[in-house]
Amino acid sequence: MIDSTVSCSSPPSGQPLSPAVGWYAVTVLCIALLVSYTDRLIINLVVDPIRNDLELTDIEISLLQGAGFAIIFALAGLPCGRLADSVNRRNLIAGGVLLWSAATIGCGLASDFWSFFGARIAVGLGEAALVPAASSLIIDFFSPRRRGTALGLFSLGATFGAGGALLIGGLLLRWIDAGWLIHAPLIGELVPWRQLMVLVGLPGVVLLPFLMSIPEPVRRNSSGLLRFWDVFRRLMADRGTVLRVCLVKGVLAIGDNGLFAWMPTLLQRSYGMTSMEVGSYLALAVSVSGATAAVAGGALSDWFVRRWGVETRVVMLLGCYLLTITGASMIFFAGTGQQAALALGVWAFGSIGGYVIGHVVMQESVPSEMRATTIALSLTFIGLIGIGLGPTLVPLVAEHGFGGGNALQPAMGTVGLFAALLAFVVIWPPIRVGLVALKSRVVKP
């Protein structure tokens, strides 16, 4: 059952904020999310240079891609969520941006595996504060009829960050290779991959004044921070709908991170693409499909709510997860780099659409006192299950399931398909309840 206090569309007490302020906040927070994903994923474009320079194995590289970021991202998620439910959310976000930007620069200056690993941990700590606090802010800026659209636009930052990291990185590497930074102070003598990490760490610092200009809205229907037992009861209500949505995000993130981490390497190793070609194809595949899914998915789920009620929004997840199954299956049969990129685009459409809609489903199913905590719990699952396992599972499956490191493609397809099928099984009970609610409203006696 959806909490009636959550669905209340009346403005919060205190000085009301204009819609323009809300959309400004969404825009700035979207850019912050884009920067965070760029800083998180840029490593995927320079796997082989880092491995060769620091003399690492594929497993060690996968730990830098996954566990080094995911461990603290997951462990810090719930504390950051609890903080976001009780302190100034804007200031919490700004502190996180400053930390992860400095840590990204630190990755570019790392001298060995452990110093790089430590910097990636700091990136995860800073980024753990963003999504729970930003989601809670956005919910308090908008009524239920606009929340899906607003959160969908916010999620464009993840979409363009996932694809844009590769495109931006490819462009920067081309300029670096052309010698544009050879006389730059401090970084001119660094090797290209180090220059790249330093450069992508700078935009977050530039963004800080814009973040600080966002007002802190009054929390809707807040009666104080909930006790852990009350939070647990909310998670388990309605057949565990909120907990299932949190868990399914982590399960599907196994495929997300496994595919996104190794697709650039697959295109370079197996199909001979340059960094620029990889960045262009994957930015096109992921950004176009993901942006369409984020905006259209959020808007269409809002339309479902206006037409058939809040309980039917979860039905949209059915189509999303069927698309991820399709995308993972396509990877097995891809015969060119372009086909492999297209398969990733189909996966991204379903995954990102499901992420946005699941985000709103969770937020509408709990009171405002635990919204950031709920998002943080989902990020904990994403970190521990998805980011922690996804990048490392691919080389392990390639090595032990298909006979060697040259079998990246079938290993990626296997990991993606496993994640998509398991996610579908986990999320089916809430979807079935939503289908019953939808049928009762569409087929009236």
Side-chain angles (χ1 to χ4, degrees):
M1 178 179 177
I2 306 298
D3 194 296
S4 60
T5 63
V6 177
S7 300
C8 177
S9 60
S10 60
S13 61
Q15 182 67 30
L17 298 171
S18 71
V21 173
W23 293 117
Y24 171 76
V26 168
T27 301
V28 175
L29 293 171
C30 174
I31 295 172
L33 188 59
L34 186 152
V35 171
S36 78
Y37 266 75
T38 301
D39 290 0
R40 180 189 312 182
L41 299 175
I42 195 68
I43 185 178
N44 297 339
L45 192 62
V46 285
V47 164
D48 284 339
I50 294 173
R51 185 186 60 177
N52 295 333
D53 196 21
L54 300 183
E55 299 180 352
L56 307 178
T57 65
D58 274 354
I59 297 297
E60 287 176 321
I61 279 288
S62 73
L63 293 175
L64 294 179
Q65 292 171 298
F69 173 88
I71 290 172
I72 194 66
F73 184 78
L75 295 178
L78 280 174
C80 286
R82 296 286 283 180
L83 273 176
D85 280 330
S86 59
V87 304
N88 185 291
R89 293 163 285 188
R90 177 201 62 196
N91 294 346
L92 182 62
I93 293 169
V97 171
L98 182 60
L99 176 59
W100 91 58
S101 298
T104 302
I105 295 172
C107 289
L109 304 177
S111 59
D112 55 21
F113 171 80
W114 289 109
S115 58
F116 205 129
F117 191 84
R120 287 290 285 175
I121 286 177
V123 173
L125 179 59
E127 293 196 11
L130 174 59
V131 175
S135 300
S136 178
L137 272 175
I138 291 170
I139 288 293
D140 281 337
F141 273 121
F142 295 94
S143 72
R145 291 173 174 263
R146 293 289 178 267
R147 287 173 182 167
T149 303
L151 284 173
L153 291 174
F154 168 62
S155 297
L156 287 179
T159 302
F160 288 119
L166 304 177
L167 178 60
I168 293 168
L171 288 170
L172 289 175
L173 282 174
R174 172 178 286 186
W175 295 338
I176 291 169
D177 290 338
W180 285 28
L181 298 179
I182 194 170
H183 298 299
L186 302 179
I187 67 171
E189 297 182 359
L190 298 177
V191 296
W193 72 263
R194 294 182 182 276
Q195 292 181 338
L196 177 65
M197 300 297 291
V198 172
L199 287 177
V200 298
L202 296 177
V205 179
V206 177
L207 186 62
L208 287 175
F210 298 95
L211 283 169
M212 296 305 295
S213 68
I214 297 175
E216 174 78 5
V218 176
R219 298 176 189 267
R220 295 174 183 263
N221 309 301
S222 179
S223 59
L225 197 62
L226 292 181
R227 296 173 302 171
F228 278 107
W229 174 246
D230 293 326
V231 171
F232 178 76
R233 285 195 302 143
R234 288 283 184 171
L235 293 174
M236 299 305 297
D238 302 324
R239 302 176 183 86
T241 293
V242 175
L243 185 61
R244 285 180 178 274
V245 176
C246 288
L247 180 59
V248 82
K249 285 175 176 287
V251 170
L252 201 64
I254 295 174
D256 288 340
N257 290 277
L259 297 181
F260 290 154
W262 288 102
M263 185 62 75
T265 304
L266 173 68
L267 297 185
Q268 291 171 323
R269 286 185 188 176
S270 300
Y271 297 105
M273 289 187 176
T274 66
S275 296
M276 187 63 204
E277 289 173 330
V278 169
S280 299
Y281 277 113
L282 295 187
L284 181 64
V286 175
S287 296
V288 172
S289 64
T292 303
V295 177
L300 187 57
S301 73
D302 281 346
W303 180 79
F304 259 64
V305 169
R306 290 193 294 269
R307 188 172 179 85
W308 293 303
V310 174
E311 296 87 352
T312 65
R313 194 190 300 268
V314 71
V315 174
M316 296 289 299
L317 294 177
L318 178 61
C320 294
Y321 294 134
L322 287 175
L323 278 173
T324 61
I325 294 173
T326 302
S329 301
M330 290 172 61
I331 292 176
F332 287 104
F333 303 103
T336 66
Q338 291 84 351
Q339 291 173 358
L342 176 62
L344 183 62
V346 174
W347 171 280
F349 194 99
S351 176
I352 294 172
Y355 181 87
V356 171
I357 296 167
H359 227 50
V360 187
V361 169
M362 287 191 301
Q363 296 285 272
E364 289 182 331
S365 301
V366 298
S368 60
E369 298 93 325
M370 61 174 286
R371 283 180 181 147
T373 300
T374 304
I375 295 298
L377 179 63
S378 73
L379 294 180
T380 298
F381 284 131
I382 289 173
L384 290 177
I385 301 174
I387 304 175
L389 291 179
T392 303
L393 275 179
V394 170
L396 286 177
V397 171
E399 181 70 28
H400 299 289
F402 296 97
N406 293 326
L408 276 180
Q409 187 163 332
M412 290 166 61
T414 299
V415 170
L417 188 59
F418 165 78
L421 290 172
L422 183 57
F424 187 84
V425 171
V426 172
I427 202 63
W428 173 246
I431 290 176
R432 183 173 59 186
V433 173
L435 286 170
V436 172
L438 179 62
K439 182 179 178 180
S440 68
R441 287 164 173 77
V442 174
V443 185
K444 296 181 178 180

